[in-house]
Amino acid sequence: MWLINSSIGRKVVMSVSGIALILFLTFHCCMNIVALFSGKAYNMICELLGSNWYAILATLGLAALAAIHIVFAFILTAQNRKARGENRYDVATTVNKNGILDVAEGWASSNMLVLGIIILLGLLMHLKHFWYNMMFAEIVGMETIYSPTDGFAWIQETFSNPLFVVLYLVWFCAIWFHIAHGFWSAMHTLGASGKIWQKRMQWIGLCYVTLLMLGYTVVVLGFAFGCAPSLCTACTAACCQ
């Protein structure tokens, strides 16, 4: 099958899986922002996305997408290194004199494997803090310090630890660099390869991932410094009881 056996096919699979994961990150970011303003609303979403069959099915689908993306990333990296020495990616940045865009593209394109490893380690950390204590705990009936559907409490617990705050911020930086390059590279593979559209996709990707990672960062810092509006509401409600 050409999607697996050919280099172009592997890039198409890599691109499609990457875009699908970006869409999930967008949904996840919107969900997390809800936690900034209402713990009750966030927990309602957590209950909806608990151990229901459709949530489990979606989780398995995401796991398959992530696994495919990672495996194909290693295959393509090995191929490119063998064929082109130290060049890590097949597509070179063609935009010149564009400041931060050149810096992001140049560094990210030559360090995609390193960024991918950091992202994978961050993902494992995130799964341990949330998925393991929430969906997994609910499925197997494991006892936890908070309810598996009390995602708001788990966010508070995680980001009350300064070490995890720093690790998550490092993780977000790695994702920023990875997607800043990966988005336009995927669009290039899928056909947006002209000079005009390549520049547009580079800037669209850079702006999009910057807003996306800012959303995640605001949530982490909001809970780390106790300045999330939802925390104030929760404290007020507790005092009134």
Side-chain angles (χ1 to χ4, degrees):
M1 185 176 180
W2 74 274
L3 284 174
I4 298 175
N5 297 326
S6 69
S7 178
I8 295 177
R10 295 188 189 105
K11 289 180 181 179
V12 170
V13 172
M14 181 92 167
S15 300
V16 173
S17 61
I19 291 173
L21 292 171
I22 291 173
L23 292 175
F24 169 73
L25 284 176
T26 303
F27 165 77
H28 198 11
C29 182
C30 294
M31 178 179 167
N32 287 354
I33 290 174
V34 171
L36 276 178
F37 300 98
S38 174
K40 183 178 180 180
Y42 182 76
N43 284 343
M44 287 177 63
I45 299 174
C46 291
E47 290 181 15
L48 180 65
L49 301 176
S51 58
N52 301 300
W53 67 267
Y54 49 83
I56 296 174
L57 186 63
T59 300
L60 292 174
L62 283 169
L65 277 174
I68 290 170
H69 193 76
I70 292 168
V71 169
F72 276 67
F74 276 101
I75 292 174
L76 287 171
T77 299
Q79 286 180 339
N80 289 332
R81 280 186 171 180
K82 183 177 180 180
R84 303 178 63 184
E86 291 301 316
N87 291 329
R88 307 277 178 96
Y89 248 66
D90 214 21
V91 181
T93 302
T94 59
V95 180
N96 297 314
K97 300 179 180 179
N98 280 322
I100 190 172
L101 179 60
D102 285 334
V103 174
E105 290 292 344
W107 192 87
S109 63
S110 59
N111 291 279
M112 289 297 277
L113 182 60
V114 174
L115 290 171
I117 292 173
I118 294 174
I119 292 170
L120 178 59
L121 293 175
L123 177 61
L124 294 175
M125 174 182 68
H126 182 66
L127 290 174
K128 171 61 175 65
H129 288 154
F130 295 98
W131 180 82
Y132 176 76
N133 288 312
M134 296 176 68
M135 180 180 283
F136 180 79
E138 189 175 358
I139 292 172
V140 302
M142 184 176 69
E143 291 188 8
T144 55
I145 58 175
Y146 303 112
S147 169
T149 58
D150 193 355
F152 189 76
W154 286 111
I155 292 178
Q156 288 180 282
E157 174 72 18
T158 301
F159 299 125
S160 64
N161 188 325
L163 175 61
F164 293 142
V165 172
V166 172
L167 290 177
Y168 270 86
L169 293 179
V170 171
W171 186 37
F172 297 159
C173 287
I175 294 174
W176 184 88
F177 275 107
H178 189 79
I179 301 180
H181 173 79
F183 177 82
W184 82 261
S185 181
M187 298 308 295
H188 179 98
T189 298
L190 296 176
S193 55
K195 290 184 178 180
I196 294 177
W197 274 105
Q198 180 171 316
K199 293 179 181 180
R200 288 175 179 173
M201 288 302 167
Q202 286 173 317
W203 280 109
I204 290 172
L206 183 63
C207 293
Y208 189 86
V209 70
T210 298
L211 291 174
L212 187 62
M213 291 301 107
L214 278 177
Y216 281 105
T217 301
V218 167
V219 173
V220 170
L221 295 181
F223 280 89
F225 290 101
C227 56
S230 56
L231 293 176
C232 298
T233 303
C235 289
T236 302
C239 291
C240 294
Q241 290 179 353

